[in-house]
Amino acid sequence: MAIAKMKLVDITADLEQLDVALARFIDIREFHPIPAQQIIERVHGLTAFDDENPCSTLLQEISDIETKYGLNFPVIDQAEQVYSFNEMYDYLESVKKKLEEEESRIKDIENHISEYRDALIQVKNIDSLDLPFEDFFSSEFISIRFGRLPNDSVEKLKFFRSKPFVFKSFTQDQNNSWCMYFTTDEFKREVDNIFSSLFFERIYIPDFVHGKPKEAMKALELEIEQAEKMVEKYRNDMIEFVNGCSNKISCLKGELAFLDRIFEAKKYVVGLGDKFQISGFIEPKTIKLIEELFSDISDVEIDVNDAESDKRVTPPTKLKNNWFTRPFGMFVEMYGLPGYHDLDPTPFLAITYAILFGIMFGDVGQGLVLMLVGWLFWRFKKMKLGAIGFRIGLFSTLFGFLYGSIFGFEHLLDHFYHETLGISFLPFHVMEADNTNILLVGAIAIGAILIIISMILNIITLIKKKKYVELACSHNGFPGIIMFTFVIVAVGLNLLSMANLLNTFTILGLVVLPILLIFLKEPIERKFHGGKMFPTGFVGFFVEGFFELFEIVLSYVTNTMSFLRVGGFVLSHTGMMIVVHTLSEGMATTGSIVTLILGNIFVMVLEGLIVGIQVLRLEFYEMFSRYYIGNGVAFTSLNNNK
């Protein structure tokens, strides 16, 4: 449970071996490469291989074809066949053009089919008309309109009987009347306005519709049938074409994917005259693998150095944790990875997160459900949050046994503890008055202990980094932990009437002196580095330092009291389950069971989400802020980037 130790590796060889070396380099999974620009910008005379990558455009062409036509070309590695980029581009353009032509033909026919179907619907609704359409539209002095009119508007036509038009209804459905009206050209505008005001929707009979409606229907149905056959033929032609070129495109895709990785890998190559160099970090156990991988390349040199031998680059951070703590690394990554020489906070976070969640969400039944759901999400979806859910569900179950709560039933375990085991002080019913006070005081005590542990971790980090002024004067260093621990212990013993540690000597030595060191931290640090203690004058420093000190002292109080939420959510969880059981008791048997099930689901989802967020808040704001920075560089291999 620590940060993996690293070695800095430099791989050097002749330029003529570059492609061969890169072909092997891109498959190394445990190698953190250093970008060439990070080295070149600090050393004169070096060159970078930052050529434009032509593979990206061609891969995007293939991706566009797959997306547009719903295809998926599998990657095929075909080492014996080599294509030039121009050949690849020309071939893909020809395939794309052919597919576009086929699609355009199909789309044109489908548009015609759509027009035929619309016309068929219109003709079907006026099939009782026994005259050819040509006779209507060839009239020289009469204007005829086909369409549909809302049924309630048909009744309103009686108010326009005196107007010069003839109205004819053919069929009616639930909402509309399919109809026609005609008038002379002299009154066409007036009559059109009347029908428009009645919400008449005109339907245009296409020019290709001929004969009587029944004859036109048969002709349209025949046209639609023939057009659909043509579409099916074109689609089959398109499928045959795709099948014919699928293998070649898959080969191109495989070669382009390989070449794309080669081009991307070149940004990690540094030119040294007629030689090249690739630098990166690996774990010591990988050194032998690297040496074997490049052993048959002539004139290759592999230099292995300490991770910090080159001050131009920062060693990356790779977390190594056991099965329990590993999933909690996602929370650490959310905040920021630790530096190479920092402590890995994952174990401490995993243990404290699981314990705090268990305290705040203690229930045997709900904890087991959370374990099952978490395991399923991890098993089938590989979700880290599911793995975390399994672990915190375990602690919820354990604390559920402490509280004696099973799906909100608070007294199911009473007989087991009292009669079978003979334990009188269990279960710990949190809603009892005496236990509630113990719970809240205990929450503050837990918070104080965790804050003290956080300070200890910070002290260890400062010692490793040799930051002695921070160690001696920081509010999270020795002064802070001495003052805070003394105050907590003194107040605790005083409340329990066990001892009174507050006197002149202890207050001066364990409170005033630490506060004074914290107050003078910046001047002491400036003096330690050879500067003036008060470069802007003592008065200005005093005013600024006083308010900073006040904020620091206040943070001790607020950070500690913030842990009251631990006890508060225990009470909240129990209170919500009491409400669920109260509602259940007022219903019949079936309704009672349904209420219990839905109530438990509601509490698990709502309370579980809120508690999870609140515990994460305590981790980040009350503990991480005291000992952790999170400015490390993640260990990322070239293989992980693709």
Side-chain angles (χ1 to χ4, degrees):
M1 295 187 291
I3 297 172
K5 296 300 180 183
M6 293 289 160
K7 291 291 185 180
L8 179 60
V9 175
D10 297 323
I11 303 171
T12 308
D14 294 333
L15 275 177
E16 60 186 20
Q17 302 289 345
L18 178 58
D19 290 337
V20 177
L22 286 178
R24 303 180 186 186
F25 168 65
I26 59 176
D27 288 325
I28 303 176
R29 293 185 177 274
E30 299 299 325
F31 190 97
H32 176 90
I34 302 171
Q37 291 297 335
Q38 197 170 337
I39 299 175
I40 292 172
E41 63 186 11
R42 303 184 186 183
V43 179
H44 295 292
L46 302 180
T47 57
F49 295 82
D50 51 357
D51 300 333
E52 183 180 354
N53 185 355
C55 302
S56 300
T57 303
L58 295 174
L59 283 171
Q60 187 60 47
E61 288 282 339
I62 296 176
S63 177
D64 290 343
I65 292 174
E66 290 177 324
T67 302
K68 186 173 182 179
Y69 300 104
L71 303 173
N72 182 26
F73 298 108
V75 175
I76 297 178
D77 295 325
Q78 194 176 23
E80 66 273 9
Q81 183 69 47
V82 179
Y83 304 93
S84 69
F85 286 117
N86 288 334
E87 289 175 339
M88 293 181 184
Y89 180 80
D90 292 340
Y91 182 73
L92 290 175
E93 282 297 307
S94 66
V95 170
K96 191 174 180 181
K97 183 178 180 181
K98 176 66 174 178
L99 290 173
E100 287 175 349
E101 290 175 353
E102 294 291 335
E103 184 188 37
S104 178
R105 287 202 299 177
I106 293 173
K107 191 172 182 179
D108 288 341
I109 297 175
E110 286 178 339
N111 288 336
H112 287 305
I113 292 174
S114 178
E115 291 178 359
Y116 294 152
R117 285 176 175 162
D118 289 342
L120 184 59
I121 292 172
Q122 297 164 14
V123 173
K124 280 183 177 180
N125 285 287
I126 56 174
D127 62 347
S128 60
L129 188 67
D130 196 32
L131 290 173
F133 287 106
E134 293 87 342
D135 292 351
F136 286 99
F137 298 120
S138 62
S139 300
E140 185 176 354
F141 303 104
I142 296 177
S143 295
I144 300 173
R145 305 284 188 261
F146 291 94
R148 58 186 177 185
L149 189 68
N151 290 330
D152 56 351
S153 295
V154 174
E155 295 296 324
K156 298 176 183 177
L157 284 174
K158 62 184 180 181
F159 298 108
F160 302 96
R161 292 173 181 170
S162 60
K163 298 299 180 181
F165 67 85
V166 175
F167 174 79
K168 170 66 175 176
S169 177
F170 298 103
T171 59
Q172 286 186 332
D173 56 25
Q174 186 177 358
N175 300 311
N176 298 294
S177 174
W178 297 82
C179 57
M180 64 168 283
Y181 69 87
F182 60 87
T183 184
T184 61
D185 288 345
E186 180 183 357
F187 300 102
K188 178 176 63 174
R189 185 182 297 274
E190 179 185 357
V191 174
D192 284 344
N193 288 335
I194 291 172
F195 276 86
S196 178
S197 67
L198 295 175
F199 305 104
F200 176 80
E201 183 180 348
R202 186 177 178 183
I203 295 174
Y204 293 89
I205 304 297
D207 294 337
F208 54 78
V209 178
H210 303 286
K212 296 180 180 180
K214 292 188 183 298
E215 298 170 351
M217 286 168 54
K218 292 180 180 179
L220 288 171
E221 289 170 349
L222 181 61
E223 288 284 347
I224 292 172
E225 182 180 355
Q226 292 176 344
E228 287 177 340
K229 289 180 179 179
M230 193 174 296
V231 168
E232 184 178 359
K233 178 183 179 300
Y234 287 155
R235 288 194 184 281
N236 290 333
D237 292 344
M238 194 172 180
I239 292 172
E240 288 180 8
F241 174 74
V242 170
N243 291 336
C245 62
S246 177
N247 186 71
K248 185 172 182 179
I249 294 180
S250 295
C251 293
L252 293 181
K253 187 177 180 181
E255 184 169 351
L256 285 169
F258 173 76
L259 293 175
D260 181 59
R261 296 175 64 196
I262 293 290
F263 273 96
E264 287 297 313
K266 286 185 177 180
K267 65 183 179 183
Y268 302 105
V269 180
V270 176
L272 307 167
D274 60 349
K275 292 183 176 292
F276 72 89
Q277 178 177 295
I278 301 173
S279 301
F281 294 93
I282 60 172
E283 293 184 70
K285 65 181 182 181
T286 315
I287 295 174
K288 186 176 180 180
L289 173 66
I290 300 294
E291 292 174 344
E292 292 177 353
L293 192 63
F294 294 96
S295 60
D296 60 337
I297 299 179
S298 60
D299 299 325
V300 68
E301 297 179 7
I302 299 177
D303 295 325
V304 181
N305 303 289
D306 291 335
E308 297 177 288
S309 59
D310 191 338
K311 300 302 180 183
R312 296 171 297 179
V313 293
T314 303
T317 300
K318 184 178 182 181
L319 302 180
K320 298 181 69 175
N321 290 291
N322 59 32
W323 75 271
F324 181 83
T325 61
R326 193 176 300 118
F328 291 91
M330 67 174 292
F331 290 153
V332 176
E333 293 170 5
M334 287 169 56
Y335 194 91
L337 284 172
Y340 183 67
H341 286 294
D342 293 345
L343 290 174
D344 179 9
T346 310
F348 181 58
L349 180 144
I351 295 170
T352 54
Y353 190 98
I355 292 175
L356 290 174
F357 188 94
I359 294 173
M360 298 163 72
F361 196 77
D363 188 286
V364 176
Q366 294 177 3
L368 291 174
V369 171
L370 183 56
M371 288 179 66
L372 175 62
V373 173
W375 181 84
L376 290 174
F377 273 102
W378 169 248
R379 176 68 177 80
F380 296 103
K381 297 293 185 180
K382 296 302 178 185
M383 292 177 59
K384 289 185 179 179
L385 203 57
I388 292 174
F390 176 82
R391 287 153 176 77
I392 61 180
L394 173 62
F395 278 78
S396 294
T397 304
L398 295 176
F399 279 95
F401 280 112
L402 174 64
Y403 301 149
S405 177
I406 302 177
F407 288 118
F409 292 96
E410 301 293 327
H411 298 282
L412 287 182
L413 297 177
D414 289 2
H415 182 273
F416 174 73
Y417 284 128
H418 299 162
E419 303 298 331
T420 306
L421 299 180
I423 301 175
S424 59
F425 57 87
L426 289 178
F428 183 84
H429 294 305
V430 298
M431 296 304 286
E432 294 180 3
D434 293 339
N435 289 344
T436 301
N437 293 332
I438 294 173
L439 181 68
L440 296 177
V441 172
I444 295 177
I446 290 172
I449 292 171
L450 293 178
I451 290 174
I452 290 171
I453 295 174
S454 299
M455 291 183 185
I456 293 173
L457 293 176
N458 185 62
I459 289 171
I460 295 172
T461 302
L462 293 176
I463 292 174
K464 290 181 65 176
K465 293 183 176 181
K466 299 180 181 180
K467 294 185 176 182
Y468 300 116
V469 177
E470 286 274 341
L471 191 66
C473 302
S474 170
H475 66 284
N476 288 317
F478 281 126
I481 195 171
I482 291 171
M483 180 189 68
F484 182 76
T485 304
F486 171 74
V487 171
I488 290 296
V489 172
V491 171
L493 293 176
N494 214 353
L495 290 175
L496 296 173
S497 301
M498 295 178 63
N500 184 7
L501 300 181
L502 298 174
N503 56 60
T504 303
F505 295 104
T506 57
I507 292 175
L508 287 175
L510 301 178
V511 178
V512 176
L513 181 58
I515 287 179
L516 187 62
L517 286 172
I518 295 172
F519 180 71
L520 295 173
K521 173 182 171 294
E522 291 186 9
I524 292 175
E525 190 168 17
R526 282 193 288 266
K527 188 67 176 178
F528 184 80
H529 291 97
K532 293 183 178 180
M533 292 185 68
F534 308 107
T536 59
F538 179 78
V539 176
F541 159 76
F542 180 84
V543 174
E544 182 180 355
F546 174 80
F547 287 104
E548 288 181 359
L549 182 64
F550 178 78
E551 183 180 356
I552 289 171
V553 174
L554 186 63
S555 71
Y556 285 121
V557 179
T558 56
N559 290 165
T560 307
M561 298 305 293
S562 182
F563 281 87
L564 273 173
R565 73 185 68 234
V566 175
F569 275 101
V570 175
L571 298 173
S572 172
H573 182 262
T574 306
M576 291 181 71
M577 290 312 304
I578 290 175
V579 172
V580 171
H581 283 273
T582 302
L583 292 174
S584 172
E585 290 170 0
M587 298 184 178
T589 304
T590 304
S592 176
I593 295 174
V594 172
T595 302
L596 283 175
I597 295 174
L598 295 179
N600 272 274
I601 293 174
F602 175 78
V603 171
M604 282 189 285
V605 173
L606 178 64
E607 191 81 6
L609 179 63
I610 295 175
V611 169
I613 294 172
Q614 290 300 324
V615 176
L616 194 61
R617 182 199 176 281
L618 290 174
E619 294 286 347
F620 284 174
Y621 289 95
E622 319 305 344
M623 288 180 271
F624 270 28
S625 60
R626 294 193 175 275
Y627 73 94
Y628 185 61
I629 298 176
N631 59 353
V633 178
F635 181 95
T636 308
S637 72
L638 188 67
N639 223 287
N640 296 136
N641 289 334
K642 297 309 291 178

